[in-house]
Structures are given as C-alpha cells and as structure tokens.
Amino acid sequence: MPWTHNRAGPFCPHVSSVVDAPSSNVMSFSMAGAVRARSAGTSSAGAQGASVPFAEDVKAGLSASPKRLLPKYFYDDLGSTLFDAICLLPEYYLTRAEDEILDRHAREIVDAVGSPLDLVELGSGSAIKTRRIISAALESQPTLRYSPIDISPSALNASSEALSREYPNVTVDGIAAEYLEGLKSISRNGSVRTMVLFLGSNIGNFEPHDAVNTLRAVHDVLNDGDALLLGADLKKDRAVLEAAYDDAEGVTAAFNLNILARINRELGGEFDIKKFAHRALYNDALGRVEMHIVSREAQTVRIAGLGMEIHFDRGETIHTESSYKYDRARLADLAGLTGFELTNTWNDTRGMFSSNLLRAIKPLSTDVYHHVGRKRDP
Ligand code: AVJ
C-alpha cells in the first residue's frame, strides 16, 4: 500500500552532497562535535536499493487510473535544488512566514516546553529554522542532543556536518530512515524533555489518516509533557494558494515536471517534457492544493527500464502532490485524536502560517484507539 505512505520531502534542505549511503547499519564520522548517522530498519536506503521502490511505485502509479506519482520522488538532487529555489519565490510565502514566527518566538517556544530538552526533527533540512530553535535552547542549557530523521542519507550528512560545525555543543545523531521507522529508534534520555520538530508544512503532504497515524507514532515515543512543534499552512484565499504553487517564473512547474525527467534519467523513460504542462489548483472541498501534470496531446511514452509503454489521452493528468491546508479547529482535532493537546499557536503577522505546540498527554485513551487509524480510502 505504498500510496498511503506519502512522505514529505526535505523542507528547504541544503543542497545534497553526493555522498553515498552507508551500506552498514551504523556509520560514525566525527566533526568538531559529535555526529553519528545511522540507518534504521530494513528498507534499502542504500545507493543501489534506492531506485527499486521508485521503479515499482512509478510502474504502479502510471498504471493506475487516474495516474499518480508520489511527492517524495520530487527530491532527487535537481528536485531538492528546485525546492530550495521555490522557498525564495515571492509567491511561496510559507518558508518566510514560518521563519518569521520562529525568529520572533523561538525563545517562548523553548520556554513553554521547558529545558533541558532533546530535539528530534522529522526531516533534516529546515536549515535556518532549526537553527533558531537550537540557538534558543542553548540559551538555557549548555549542550543539546539533536536527532534529525531523514530518508536521504546525503541530505542528512550535509546538514548534520554543517550543524555540528556551527554548534560544538550540539550532538547530532542523524537517523537515515522513513519517519515512522526512525521514530522507533529514538532513544529517550531519562528526565530530559523531548521536543519533536515537524516544520515547513511537511504534514501537508499526508492524507488525513496518515497525518493521524504519523502523529500517533510521534506520541508513542514521547513522555507526558514532551512536545511536538508542528508547522501547518493555513486555509486562505484560493488565488494566494494557487499562486504559491504556480509561480510566475515557472520554478514550481519545473519542480513538478522534474519527476518526469527523473523517470527519464533513472528508468530510461522517453518523456518529451515539452508535451506536458504543470497545473496547480485548490480543492476547496478537500482543503488541499493539488499539483498535476497534464498531457498536452494524446501520446504514448516508453519507459525502457520498466519494460512498459504508457498511453496518455490529450488532457489526461498525473496527480503528483496534495498539500493540505489547516485551520485552528482541524489542528485541535488532529491533536485530540493523537494523544496531544494543542496548547499554543503562533501565527506570522500576515496570518498565513501557523506554528503549533502540541503537548503529549499520556496515556492515549482506548477510545481514541478505537476511532482512528482506520484507512478511510476504499
Ligand atoms: C515541502 C511539502 C511543504 O507542499 O508546500 C512546494 C512542497 N510543492 N511547492 C509544499 C511543494 C510545491 C511543499 N512541502
């Protein structure tokens, strides 16, 4: 059921280095501070294994009706670089809005959780935003343990090295894994509080039931009083949302279409990119921005590596991403369904984006277990 496991890519990652994944389970390399990178679980995050699920998922997705591709596959080296560029676009307000919030309130956020604390981050590349939290934490504790969880070993290595160079008092313990796997290998540190960072509206890529499952998995590794800092983009005017995902310079279009180029590069696809268009639309009923790739004409495309040919009608679409938008009520519901209490919300001055502090309440009631976690799709 790979389609129910949408995972957001890195949010404003550093440009990935081309360091190969470790083939063993544990890799240590030392920088100024202490950096440890390990891979969790059994799935192949390694160099040779990486394209196997990609091939399988592309095959399944392009054979389905309607056609679809998973957003996690946007983030090869070119896609990650294009995403960095998106974060600089005037239309893409999300990154700046969240950074404004963390710039103004990092101190308050850390104080609300209480120190000393350990930091865990889902995704490793929030760059400047993570640094704001780290700096605030180091004002009230001498050292800090930071465990980023990211599927990309190269992104993990690059950001881990940079961070431990900048902050000698931070021990970076990177985990190369999918979020759910990685969370299982988080080691709790006695009485120290843990704050999990899930920034950048990465939650937006999750279908509602997967958002619930993921937050429950976060809750499972936390103690009473620990916290989750959740960045969620807010529902707003359609024109603003659609412009954010369809910018005037065509960077988001390039980002979306790069997934076809990636199929060409990695799977011997023969997509003529010019024969496809980018489309972004806000689906009001479902509260999400959808990105699609539209076939400009009827055509058949060979993908040699998959031994298949794919037919497209003129105007036929591939659904490549959903970015869910939240409001206060939905966030409170999500917290309540997953064993958390939504205790604080900070907005940017324009009211575009929200940073939400969710406090873990244990135990998760059996009532909650009976009502969530079921797949709602057919
Ligand atoms: C990285 C999932 C937060 O949905 O806003 C940006 C990805 N897609 N422009 C988002 C994205 C198109 C982004 N997230």
Side-chain angles (χ1 to χ4, degrees), residues 97-243:
E98 188 176 42
D99 187 49
E100 182 205 312
I101 296 168
L102 299 185
D103 181 30
R104 297 161 73 109
H105 302 294
R107 171 84 262 150
E108 204 186 328
I109 291 167
V110 166
D111 287 347
V113 179
S115 58
L117 53 79
D118 279 350
L119 278 183
V120 172
E121 182 164 15
L122 301 182
S124 65
S126 326
I128 186 86
K129 293 180 285 182
T130 305
R131 283 166 174 73
R132 295 201 189 282
I133 299 288
I134 288 175
S135 298
L138 287 175
E139 285 171 24
S140 43
Q141 63 189 79
T143 60
L144 175 73
R145 197 163 64 120
Y146 169 66
S147 307
I149 301 172
D150 197 293
I151 189 63
S152 161
S154 59
L156 200 59
N157 291 352
S159 65
S160 299
E161 289 186 36
L163 270 175
S164 57
R165 219 183 346 260
E166 277 171 58
Y167 297 96
N169 297 334
V170 174
T171 300
V172 182
D173 183 11
I175 301 168
E178 298 265 354
Y179 294 157
L180 296 184
E181 259 174 57
L183 281 168
K184 285 184 210 144
S185 65
I186 290 294
S187 53
R188 287 300 323 273
N189 182 359
S191 58
V192 174
R193 285 240 184 277
T194 296
M195 173 158 65
V196 176
L197 306 177
F198 196 15
L199 306 181
S201 184
N202 281 329
I203 187 76
N205 273 172
F206 288 77
E207 292 300 320
H209 63 258
D210 285 323
V212 168
N213 290 337
T214 301
L215 262 55
R216 283 179 54 195
V218 172
H219 180 272
D220 280 349
V221 303
L222 297 181
N223 289 339
D224 197 358
D226 286 344
L228 167 65
L229 184 67
L230 181 68
D233 194 21
L234 298 172
K235 292 186 176 175
K236 61 180 65 66
D237 188 68
R238 161 186 303 277
V240 174
L241 286 170
E242 290 182 349

Side-chain angles (χ1 to χ4, degrees), residues 20-30 34-43 45-46 153 156-157 172-177 185:
D20 271 348
S23 53
S24 66
N25 249 10
V26 179
M27 177 182 64
S28 300
F29 54 98
S30 38
V35 178
R36 230 151 45 89
R38 48 201 163 104
S39 40
T42 50
S43 79
L156 200 59
N157 291 352
V172 182
D173 183 11
I175 301 168
S185 65

Side-chain angles (χ1 to χ4, degrees), residues 11 75 83 86 92 94 200-202 205 245 255 291 321 323:
F11 191 74
Y75 302 93
F83 183 68
I86 287 174
Y92 195 76
L94 290 79
S201 184
N202 281 329
N205 273 172
Y245 292 82
F255 173 75
M291 294 208 312
E321 182 175 51
S323 293

